Amino acid sequence: MPMDYGLSEAQEITARTAREFFDNECPSELVREIEDQELDRSGELERKMADLGFWSIAIPEAYDGVGGDLRDLVAFCEEAGRAMLPGPYFTTMAIGVPALLTLGTEAQKQGFLPQIAQGNRTLTLALTERTWGWSADAIETTATLKDGQFILNGRKDFVPNGNTADYLIVVARTNPSAPPELGISLLLVDARSPGVSARPFRSLGGDRLSEITFNEVRVPQANLLGNLNQGWYQLQPVLDQAKVAQSSWMIGGAQKTMEMAVDYAKERIQFGRPIGSFQDQQTRIANMWLAIKGARVQTYRTASLLAHGDPATLQAAMTKVAAAEAYRLCSYGSVHVHGGVGYMMEFDLQLYYRRAKAGEAFLGNSDLHKDLVADTILGRD
Amino acid sequence: MDYSFTPEQEAFRKEIREFCQENMNPEVMSDGILVGLGGGADMYSRNFHKKMAEKGWLGLGWPKEYGGGARDFMDMAMFMEETAYWRAPMAAYGTTVVFIGNAIMHFGSEEQKKEILPKIISGDVTCTLGYTEPNAGSDLASLQLRAVADGDDYVLNGQKVFNTAAHYASHYFMATRTDINAPKHRGISLFLYPMRDIPGLTIRPLYTSAGGRTNEVFAENVRIPKSMMVGELNRGWYHLATALDFERVGIGSAVGGIQRSLDDTVAYLKGPGSAQRHNPIIRRYIAETAIDLDALRNWIYMIAWMQNHGLIPSNEGSAVKILASELQVRLAQGAMRLFGELGLLREEEANHRQLPLANDVSTFYMATSASTALAGSTEIQQGIIAMRGLGLPRSY
């Protein structure tokens, strides 16, 4: 394929269709409504999304998807992030699907992907525990293999969609005597299994996160995702893909806040002139534009690498930092431009501002990823 | 959304790299002179320039009809990146080949194209820009140097400053005022003329704090033929605005130089400076620099892609100028912190201690002291993005 730094025609159509759909079906009023619900998703919205094929993006046609790859998901995710799409779409499509495609057996792919593509099954990742960290030594939940099944015990915390997703990809310790990164496995756990108990709580980001306890939960051996004890390493390339999709999601939100700032700067008159005619505001807004566009180019580049099957852990880390920083800069900058209005609950900016923070935190914050970059360049020893 | 390079592009990159490694030797570089900010790529070597001419690399991106290599903007970006990485003496390249060559191609007459472009290709023409004046910097449109029509000639009177290549270039690309009654943007015309030993032109050196050289220039009744006007009478500002977009892209190609500085710093941290490798503040600094550099590189290739598709990178050109200059400053300041007292060493003492990198650090520190102000300050670039790009009301 020839070099192409823009969106392909198919990606443009996906983005345009998504924009129209979200403008009509997912206005900020719905986002606010769902924030107040414990079951923080809209079945109706998800059904409409299924009708338009949005759940089948980047799922191969062999599994009832529309085909395509991470890049198509990236194009879609910018629009979803712009609309602040609530519910389990991200964890299902940006984590669950790549995990199944990369690590799943044929039976697992056949068992899950067509259901996902129809909007009938959702997934999330249950990795973090009480210490919250994203490193292997934070994993204390255990899964003991016995008589053809795993017995799962432990507690996960801060799990997005933990109370609504159909299946949990649980990151569990299957060999406690091995070094932390070498004794971990990934299990596909039916959320309705006896012994699974999710307690949702509100997050600053507006969604519900869950504390999930596993008490002698039986998981069939066939639900091992990837190889026994190799789960930690096998998960990282999957998370690289997730980080790229997440970056695009954050860029979508950042873009919206920048547009709001530009519009307001043109309209708001003080001292007899629009505030957008003051140089400092121009500087602030120009820097917002810079940050977004740079992060977007990095996102596309990393998506391109991963779609070509190249490793991109370093680039994914860089991209996530850039996108999170862009979202932070833009949401903060936009509040600043708006003045007091920007700070009000009834004004939409606070929705974005909170999501910028939550987005940075999920899958590891910018400090963690900067450390990853430094470790890669300078060595860890 | 495909950011991969083709095998041909990778092969070209390798070719450039090998050329630099082969030709940046003391013999070829024996005629190198410092220009501009000083240090690194701000050198000119006629030998090296001619070697590039022999490779056909002086009109790399030009159409074949002008003797060019007909390579696209992506190849040009790679060329600028690689030569900068190896610190090749490219001082004449950016201004002459990229900037003025493109300017002539876009709004020069057919005679000018036939006359000048082949000589740029052969390395026989090098150019200096004559824009800035003591009273016309950011507000370039207020320039005053007069060009008055007189028979078949124009007569030039006035002053220019910070004309970096004026002490060695063969030709002057000068912006003049040809109509003092029109609004300032509408009374400017451009000229390209042979400048060495032309009567009435006085060139005086100005030395930069980094040890480089620029010039102030005095024109007293300098007479040039009317045929040397480039573009239309009194439309020079508009030609210039387009040409400036090319210049900014060229500056963005400093990504190669910045990557080189970062690599040198990392090598230092893995070698003589390894005591600091575990310092979390240093590690954070390296990470942030690498992330921003990664963004800059992708910007530049995105711009090349835009140009390949006939899109004009106006805001994007401004963006890379801002990002490249700020990154250069941060890198220079970070390197200085890392080196501590050793960063104060100048060439003689640095060589005495067998630590030539220390001289690079102190030179780089000085060379970047004005990076964000020159060649279109950060404020000017932000203004272009905000007002031209995003449509915000004029702040000035």
Side-chain angles (χ1 to χ4, degrees):
Chain A
M1 186 186 295
M3 185 188 284
D4 178 5
Y5 282 34
L7 296 183
S8 70
E9 205 182 312
Q11 289 153 3
E12 292 235 7
I13 292 172
T14 300
R16 208 166 36 240
T17 314
R19 173 78 63 104
E20 275 171 33
F21 174 82
F22 288 128
D23 281 349
N24 291 325
E25 303 292 343
C26 190
S28 63
E29 291 82 7
L30 179 64
V31 173
R32 286 171 186 271
E33 211 180 290
I34 290 175
E35 277 198 359
D36 287 334
Q37 295 167 9
E38 188 162 283
L39 232 57
D40 55 336
R41 63 197 286 190
S42 162
E44 191 190 330
L45 181 64
E46 291 171 24
R47 184 105 323 274
K48 289 180 182 172
M49 286 171 65
D51 291 341
L52 283 169
F54 291 157
W55 290 96
S56 55
I57 294 173
I59 293 179
E61 291 179 46
Y63 306 108
D64 296 347
V66 290
D69 56 38
L70 176 63
R71 294 174 288 185
D72 303 282
L73 186 65
V74 159
F76 180 83
C77 281
E78 183 165 342
E79 296 306 321
R82 180 192 177 89
M84 300 181 283
L85 172 66
Y89 186 89
F90 180 82
T91 53
T92 303
M93 303 301 287
I95 304 178
V97 168
L100 287 160
L101 285 174
T102 310
L103 305 172
T105 61
E106 194 53 39
Q108 287 167 341
K109 290 179 196 173
Q110 292 288 356
F112 278 81
L113 293 171
Q115 289 291 319
I116 293 171
Q118 284 163 48
N120 289 336
R121 186 169 299 175
T122 56
L123 281 82
T124 190
L125 176 70
L127 187 158
T128 46
E129 305 196 0
R130 260 296 151 89
T131 54
W132 180 73
W134 291 85
S135 65
D137 31 26
I139 308 296
E140 290 176 357
T141 298
T142 57
T144 312
L145 185 57
K146 192 179 161 191
D147 300 328
Q149 58 186 3
F150 291 96
I151 312 295
L152 188 59
N153 279 291
R155 186 200 285 151
K156 292 294 182 186
D157 205 352
F158 300 99
V159 180
N161 309 309
N163 61 328
T164 59
D166 300 309
Y167 271 77
L168 315 164
I169 299 176
V170 179
V171 182
R173 192 163 294 290
T174 38
N175 184 356
S177 51
E181 292 177 2
L182 295 175
I184 287 172
S185 304
L186 309 173
L187 300 178
L188 288 160
V189 178
D190 186 334
R192 291 154 308 173
S193 306
V196 178
S197 170
R199 181 183 69 83
F201 54 86
R202 291 187 87 127
S203 155
L204 184 70
D207 58 341
R208 296 287 180 287
L209 301 176
S210 290
E211 184 188 48
I212 307 179
T213 46
F214 302 96
N215 188 4
E216 299 291 309
V217 178
R218 289 167 204 295
V219 183
Q221 193 169 359
N223 283 23
L224 174 67
L225 183 62
N227 301 337
L228 188 67
N229 293 326
Q230 292 175 21
W232 187 256
Y233 287 115
Q234 291 187 317
L235 183 61
Q236 299 315 309
V238 173
L239 294 184
D240 290 342
Q241 293 194 52
K243 289 171 191 175
V244 172
Q246 184 196 31
S247 295
S248 193
W249 196 285
M250 290 195 280
I251 286 163
Q255 175 78 25
K256 177 70 182 177
T257 63
M258 183 198 69
E259 289 172 16
M260 290 168 72
V262 170
D263 289 343
Y264 192 74
K266 288 176 179 172
E267 294 160 12
R268 171 73 172 171
I269 310 287
Q270 287 287 267
F271 306 103
R273 49 196 270 204
I275 62 170
S277 70
F278 291 110
Q279 193 173 17
D280 272 2
Q281 299 305 326
Q282 296 189 341
T283 295
R284 178 170 292 105
I285 292 171
N287 285 335
M288 287 162 65
W289 181 88
L290 264 181
I292 290 170
K293 191 132 187 188
R296 187 183 289 119
V297 166
Q298 284 174 291
T299 300
Y300 284 8
R301 180 282 318 269
T302 312
S304 171
L305 276 174
L306 289 167
H308 281 102
D310 294 325
T313 301
L314 174 64
Q315 292 87 343
M318 290 183 170
T319 298
K320 187 177 193 299
V321 171
E325 173 57 18
Y327 204 176
R328 185 201 65 77
L329 185 83
C330 290
S331 55
Y332 188 95
S334 193
V335 169
H336 183 98
V337 169
H338 282 82
V341 161
Y343 178 49
M344 298 293 106
M345 279 303 286
E346 63 188 35
F347 197 65
D348 279 353
L349 272 178
Q350 51 89 4
L351 300 170
Y352 292 94
Y353 191 84
R354 292 187 282 112
R355 280 158 179 77
K357 186 73 237 177
E360 187 215 335
F362 183 56
L363 299 177
N365 67 8
S366 292
D367 287 323
L368 183 151
H369 284 93
K370 287 181 186 181
D371 284 348
L372 194 160
V373 172
D375 287 350
T376 306
I377 294 174
L378 289 170
R380 272 176 82 174
D381 57 293
Chain B
M1 206 186 290
D2 188 345
Y3 281 53
S4 51
F5 288 98
T6 65
E8 293 78 23
Q9 286 166 332
E10 296 288 5
F12 182 53
R13 187 190 286 279
K14 187 155 173 278
E15 196 184 342
I16 304 161
R17 193 169 288 175
E18 284 167 1
F19 174 85
C20 289
Q21 289 169 329
E22 193 184 304
N23 289 292
M24 288 193 53
N25 56 60
E27 194 197 318
V28 170
M29 301 278 284
S30 59
D31 65 348
I33 57 173
L34 277 180
V35 296
L37 295 172
D42 277 49
M43 290 188 65
Y44 172 66
S45 154
R46 187 170 163 75
N47 288 341
F48 192 86
H49 202 74
K50 280 284 189 183
K51 289 269 180 197
M52 287 197 285
E54 283 161 27
K55 278 287 250 191
W57 284 357
L58 288 189
L60 203 57
W62 298 1
K64 284 221 160 23
E65 62 181 295
Y66 299 125
R71 286 189 177 267
D72 67 11
F73 287 96
M74 198 62 72
D75 281 349
M76 283 301 303
M78 282 199 309
F79 181 76
M80 299 303 280
E81 183 184 5
E82 285 299 319
T83 51
Y85 188 87
W86 297 103
R87 304 220 192 276
M90 294 289 285
Y93 198 104
T95 308
T96 303
V97 180
V98 177
F99 188 43
I100 287 167
N102 277 297
I104 299 287
M105 269 191 281
H106 277 82
F107 42 82
S109 67
E110 281 312 308
E111 295 80 53
Q112 285 167 341
K113 288 176 192 175
K114 287 202 182 76
E115 164 69 22
I116 294 289
L117 298 182
K119 290 184 183 161
I120 293 180
I121 297 258
S122 66
D124 292 312
V125 160
T126 50
C127 302
T128 185
L129 296 179
Y131 290 175
T132 306
E133 297 181 1
N135 289 321
S138 288
D139 187 7
L140 185 57
S142 68
L143 64 89
Q144 294 297 311
L145 188 146
R146 283 288 274 129
V148 178
D150 181 27
D152 290 330
D153 299 330
Y154 274 91
V155 180
L156 309 179
N157 277 284
Q159 196 182 340
K160 293 289 182 190
V161 74
F162 304 138
N163 284 189
T164 297
H167 56 295
Y168 70 86
S170 63
H171 282 65
Y172 220 150
F173 189 72
M174 189 178 267
T176 69
R177 186 154 302 282
T178 37
D179 186 345
I180 54 173
N181 298 311
K184 66 183 184 185
H185 293 91
R186 298 210 216 124
I188 293 172
S189 303
L190 305 174
F191 292 91
L192 181 65
Y193 62 91
M195 67 179 291
R196 298 255 67 88
D197 304 320
I198 194 170
L201 201 66
T202 309
I203 296 158
R204 291 215 196 106
L206 293 170
Y207 295 101
T208 74
S209 59
R213 173 178 169 168
T214 180
N215 303 282
E216 54 180 349
V217 178
F218 301 88
E220 198 180 323
N221 296 322
V222 175
R223 186 168 280 275
I224 60 177
K226 276 187 172 170
S227 59
M228 307 233 154
M229 181 178 291
V230 179
E232 289 176 53
L233 177 67
N234 294 325
R235 294 286 303 165
W237 178 255
Y238 304 100
H239 299 322
L240 215 149
T242 313
L244 279 169
D245 285 335
F246 286 114
E247 184 184 5
R248 282 177 205 127
V249 171
I251 286 166
S253 297
V255 71
I258 300 172
Q259 182 71 58
R260 173 61 183 272
S261 298
L262 179 60
D263 285 355
D264 286 349
T265 307
V266 169
Y268 176 76
L269 284 167
K270 288 181 171 177
S274 61
Q276 299 199 60
R277 188 162 63 94
H278 297 285
N279 183 330
I281 295 173
I282 302 291
R283 293 179 82 85
R284 178 54 53 94
Y285 158 74
I286 295 289
E288 289 175 352
T289 305
I291 292 167
D292 288 344
L293 184 54
D294 182 63
L296 178 64
R297 173 175 288 105
N298 283 287
W299 269 104
I300 284 163
Y301 287 119
M302 188 207 12
I303 285 171
W305 176 82
M306 285 176 70
Q307 290 173 310
N308 276 352
H309 286 75
L311 300 165
I312 296 179
S314 180
N315 301 334
E316 291 77 7
S318 291
V320 298
K321 203 282 165 171
I322 294 171
L323 294 172
S325 57
E326 295 196 342
L327 203 46
Q328 279 167 328
V329 174
R330 265 197 282 147
L331 208 71
Q333 309 227 340
M336 189 56 104
R337 276 162 52 204
L338 196 58
F339 273 66
E341 303 81 22
L342 293 176
L344 298 176
L345 301 182
R346 302 300 279 139
E347 188 171 7
E348 198 184 325
E349 184 64 15
N351 288 337
H352 173 71
R353 297 188 188 214
Q354 297 184 320
L355 197 58
L357 199 57
N359 178 50
D360 287 349
V361 168
S362 57
T363 303
F364 190 35
Y365 187 77
M366 296 313 297
T368 54
S369 57
S371 291
T372 53
L374 304 183
S377 68
T378 297
E379 287 76 16
I380 292 293
Q381 308 299 353
Q382 286 164 338
I384 289 172
I385 291 168
M387 291 185 276
R388 244 209 258 172
L390 296 171
L392 289 174
R394 299 213 63 87
S395 51
Y396 61 85

